[in-house]
């Protein structure tokens, strides 16, 4: 079983490193990290990660993992990446956060039940997906995790499907994943009103720029 | 406020990358990643991360973050690292997973209430610490997180103490940290018996080797 994660500049590192913890430990599998080239990438806060290989050198993947983050705004119009996603998404896919929008830009979301980060959730419909308000959405062989840290829940769900419940539980125990967030502020529904208002204001320009990119892509899809 | 994370070969990457997500976003702070040298390190599953600088080039830190993982077994006898930890631990410390044992090897745990990964929890007493069975333990200006993913909870707890609840809640919302583990297997108390038995068997040789290292260190401490 060949498992591969895509990494890129300005991704959100934990969209990648959360699932890494699980995917790199699945029995009977080979796990590798792929960049646009073999050169190091920097996440949006500057973490420097070196991929194992370039996407052009990846074998046909049994499991494709696509993280998100600000960097998708550029990649959504990168034809090499979109073609690679189309080629590699025929089996099992784990989409984390706004990785879903990148898959959408590749034309792969039409008719799918999907989720993404709460601030971009309404954008899924632009790609013909049904936006589902769940932390983890299973749609056939595709698993969508919502924002950022939800990739850990998505990856454990995937581990159970690929290798059985006991393997997933063993990984959860190893990772001591029995979370106790110090606040109940992890979703728009639970965050204090002032915290949510500030987050929405911070996100607004990002979402606006993203909508403009998606508008160009969708109109291009319509005129092939 | 200068915040620094230590990274090293054979660490468990999410002990580092979980808190990175929080620590790299604290307002009014400078956050950097320090290696023994400036060269890339590889986590225990092969993730390649490049530090921002070498420990010798770090300023006096206001916040020191120490992850864990198998790599601590070597570092516990590395005098350069231990001296650096002694020098940098005078203010606020975030210990994640077996990072606590590394701090213990530096002679910094005596009399502290602490925690670490469940499989090494009993080893804290070797360094004179009081082992507390909590996911996050606050002991004065030190915060200890238990195993691996608990670093996220520890880092949010730290964020609230350093920058206030609203900042921590805003980060939690951004990270969409409202975990929904697919199983209740994240601690020895909740994992199915067969899963726990296998994990204990897998960990036993690691813990035995670690105990031998700690025995050497503690006898060295006793004969200065």
């Amino acid at each position: 079983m060949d498992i591969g994660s895509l990494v890129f500049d300005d991704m959100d590192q934990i969209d990648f490193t959360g699932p890494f913890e699980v995917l790199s430990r699945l029995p009977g599998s080979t796990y590798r990290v792929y960049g646009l080239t073999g050169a190091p990438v920097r996440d949006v806060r500057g973490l420097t990660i070196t991929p194992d290989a370039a996407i052009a050198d990846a074998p046909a993947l049994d499991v494709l993992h696509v993280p998100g983050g600000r960097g998708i705004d550029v990649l959504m119009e990168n034809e090499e990446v979109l073609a690679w996603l189309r080629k590699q998404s025929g089996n099992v896919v784990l989409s984390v956060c706004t990785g879903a929008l990148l898959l959408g830009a590749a034309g792969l979301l039409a008719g799918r039940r999907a989720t993404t980060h709460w601030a971009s959730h309404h954008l899924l419909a632009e790609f013909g997906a049904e936006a589902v308000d769940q932390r983890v959405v299973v749609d056939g062989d595709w698993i969508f995790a919502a924002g950022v840290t939800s990739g850990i829940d998505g990856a454990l769900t995937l581990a159970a499907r690929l290798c059985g419940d006991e393997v997933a539980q063993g990984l959860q125990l190893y990772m001591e994943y029995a979370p106790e967030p110090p606040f109940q502020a992890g979703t728009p529904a639970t965050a204090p009103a002032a915290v949510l208002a500030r987050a929405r204001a911070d996100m607004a320009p990002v979402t606006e720029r993203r909508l403009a990119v998606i508008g160009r892509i969708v109109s291009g899809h319509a005129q092939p």
Side-chain angles (χ1 to χ4, degrees), chain A:
Chain A
M1 184 163 66
D2 276 307
I3 307 175
S5 295
L6 176 68
V7 295
F8 47 88
D9 284 331
D10 293 330
M11 67 177 179
D12 192 314
Q13 61 87 18
I14 211 170
D15 293 12
F16 158 64
T17 54
F20 178 101
E21 196 72 7
V22 174
L23 302 179
S24 66
R25 289 176 167 85
L26 295 183
S29 69
T30 299
Y31 173 72
R32 299 189 85 197
V33 178
Y34 298 99
L36 276 63
T37 69
V41 301
R42 281 172 69 88
D43 111 303
V44 71
R45 296 302 301 160
L47 182 63
T48 303
I49 289 170
T50 303
D52 296 312
I55 55 175
D57 298 324
L61 296 175
D62 301 294
V63 179
L64 169 67
H65 164 218
V66 182
R70 303 247 167 127
I72 66 146
D73 293 344
V74 171
L75 290 196
M76 282 197 293
E77 298 185 286
N78 180 319
E79 268 309 320
E80 185 195 354
V81 171
L82 299 178
W84 188 78
L85 292 173
R86 287 183 202 107
K87 190 177 78 175
Q88 295 287 11
S89 57
N91 297 306
V92 173
V93 175
L94 172 62
S95 163
V96 178
C97 195
T98 50
L101 300 179
L102 189 51
L103 291 158
L108 296 165
L109 283 200
R112 289 208 175 270
R113 300 174 71 248
T115 193
T116 187
H117 192 276
W118 58 265
S120 286
H121 205 252
H122 60 293
L123 301 178
L124 289 168
E126 302 288 326
F127 293 121
E130 178 190 342
V132 180
D133 187 18
Q134 286 172 203
R135 187 162 175 85
V136 175
V137 174
V138 178
D139 181 66
D141 284 333
W142 287 45
I143 292 178
F144 294 89
V148 193
T149 54
S150 64
I152 301 171
D153 298 320
L156 285 170
T157 301
L158 175 60
R161 291 170 64 93
L162 293 173
C163 303
D165 287 3
E166 286 213 356
V167 166
Q169 290 166 334
L171 288 169
Q172 186 183 351
L173 177 58
Y174 166 73
M175 292 163 61
E176 206 161 335
Y177 186 51
E180 295 180 19
F183 304 100
Q184 297 307 318
T187 68
T190 56
V195 170
L196 179 59
R198 186 165 312 137
R200 283 202 195 285
D202 288 348
M203 295 279 196
V206 177
T207 310
E208 202 165 316
R209 279 198 303 274
R210 188 165 283 164
L211 188 57
V213 175
I214 292 175
R216 283 200 297 274
I217 294 166
V218 172
S219 66
H221 284 183
Q223 304 156 7

